[in-house]
Amino acid sequence: MKPNLNVNFAGIKLKNPVLSASGTFGYGYELADLIPLKKIGAIITKTITFEPRPGNPQPRIAEVEGGMLNTIGLQNIGVKAFVGDPLEKLAKIGVPVFVSVAGHSLEEYAQSAKVLSSYKEISAIELNLSCPNLKKKIVCHDLPLTADVIKSVKKISKVPVIAKLSPLVADIAELSLAAQNAGADGVTIANTYPAMAIDVKTFKPKLSTVKGGMSGPCIKPMSVRAVYDAYPVLKIPILGCGGITSGQDAVEFMLAGAAAVSVGSASLVSAQNIIKIIDGIEKILAEKNISSAAALTGKINQAVNIC
Ligand SMILES: Cc1cc2nc3c(=O)[nH]c(=O)nc-3n(C[C@H](O)[C@H](O)[C@H](O)COP(=O)(O)O)c2cc1C
């Protein structure tokens, strides 16, 4: 029998648990000529801010062993332009659309949420809480600000609000719980890891902003650990993210506690990868005679005592 890949994520029915991660899939519709977008569980757009942003100067990307660094700087067309043609094209694909939103201040998050709230084509808002605030501090490194951003967007939004968290915090369970208590309907664990690289031929940093975010296979074990730590304290679902390149990686995140996963850098390597990951999950379920993907969440076989 064919395994059932459907999952329910924060009340949203997904045909499978694989989403495109923000910023690595354009606004979502641009890949239509390369892959059957209809096969994806849901599309998460690149992060949108209230005003358009040009992003950071080049170089904005650098390869490192096992992954990559980026400092795109939230380049985007701004929320008012997004709800025009891009949203119309996205809606035609026929999969749920999660819009990623960021801001430098609580007010900026709320302003964008207000514009988005009148569009029924949007299934969820993912709050990118890993961007710097006006004092150059990462939003989700400030627990009270994180809670306030979530509360203010929840007041406005008619759709589920997912808090995307930075993994570089002392206690990811505490941060996830704060997001849940503020009203988040789900959490994404996790965004990139702060990192840097220097070219030893020129002695120059490889990124224009010196530091950026690390992603790709090298971060996977750290993000799986973060999901595993947050899962026991949460009632809301986790969207696992970090270094997923295969069905096996996706299943690993789900066994650690994720209800669904999002695929980032792997889509930059090849647009086909996200489809291969969906097929890979199905193959593993069939081989193991597991009837549904939803049954994987938190089912790590933990025979040893943990200290
Ligand atoms: C080039 C690039 C751009 C990204 N842009 C965003 C973004 O706009 N918003 C966001 O929340 N995350 C962004 N991310 C982070 C990814 O969504 C994802 O959380 C992270 O890369 C870890 O997953 P991965 O290892 O599968 O890439 C970006 C990542 C990359 C590589």
Side-chain angles (χ1 to χ4, degrees), residues 21-24 46-47 61 68 70 72 74 100 128 164 190-192 215-216 219 241-244 263-265 268:
S22 180
T24 57
K46 72 157 75 187
T47 294
I61 279 185
M68 62 181 284
N70 90 82
I72 305 299
L74 300 181
S100 170
N128 176 358
K164 183 171 184 182
N191 212 314
T192 53
S215 61
I219 69 167
C241 180
I244 297 172
V263 174
S265 307
L268 301 177

Side-chain angles (χ1 to χ4, degrees), residues 124-182:
I125 289 178
E126 182 181 68
L127 293 175
N128 176 358
L129 299 168
S130 302
C131 52
N133 65 12
L134 292 173
K135 291 182 199 140
K136 303 245 177 274
K137 193 172 173 189
I138 298 292
V139 173
C140 69
H141 289 174
D142 179 338
L143 276 188
L145 177 62
T146 300
D148 287 346
V149 167
I150 295 169
K151 280 182 198 158
S152 68
V153 172
K154 272 296 287 180
K155 255 191 231 151
I156 297 162
S157 177
K158 297 190 183 83
V159 293
V161 174
I162 316 301
K164 183 171 184 182
L165 306 177
S166 162
L168 210 76
V169 290
D171 189 342
I172 190 77
E174 181 190 36
L175 176 61
S176 304
L177 200 54
Q180 176 174 279
N181 291 341

Side-chain angles (χ1 to χ4, degrees), residues 209-278:
T209 53
V210 183
K211 291 177 274 184
M214 186 163 70
S215 61
C218 56
I219 69 167
K220 192 191 72 180
M222 295 186 284
S223 298
V224 170
R225 190 278 305 162
V227 168
Y228 175 81
D229 280 352
Y231 178 66
V233 304
L234 292 178
K235 292 189 180 74
I236 55 174
I238 300 172
L239 183 62
C241 180
I244 297 172
T245 64
S246 66
Q248 280 187 346
D249 294 341
V251 168
E252 197 178 339
F253 268 95
M254 294 181 79
L255 293 174
V261 297
S262 56
V263 174
S265 307
S267 293
L268 301 177
V269 176
S270 163
Q272 311 292 334
N273 279 338
I274 194 161
I275 305 295
K276 288 185 188 156
I277 291 164
I278 298 165

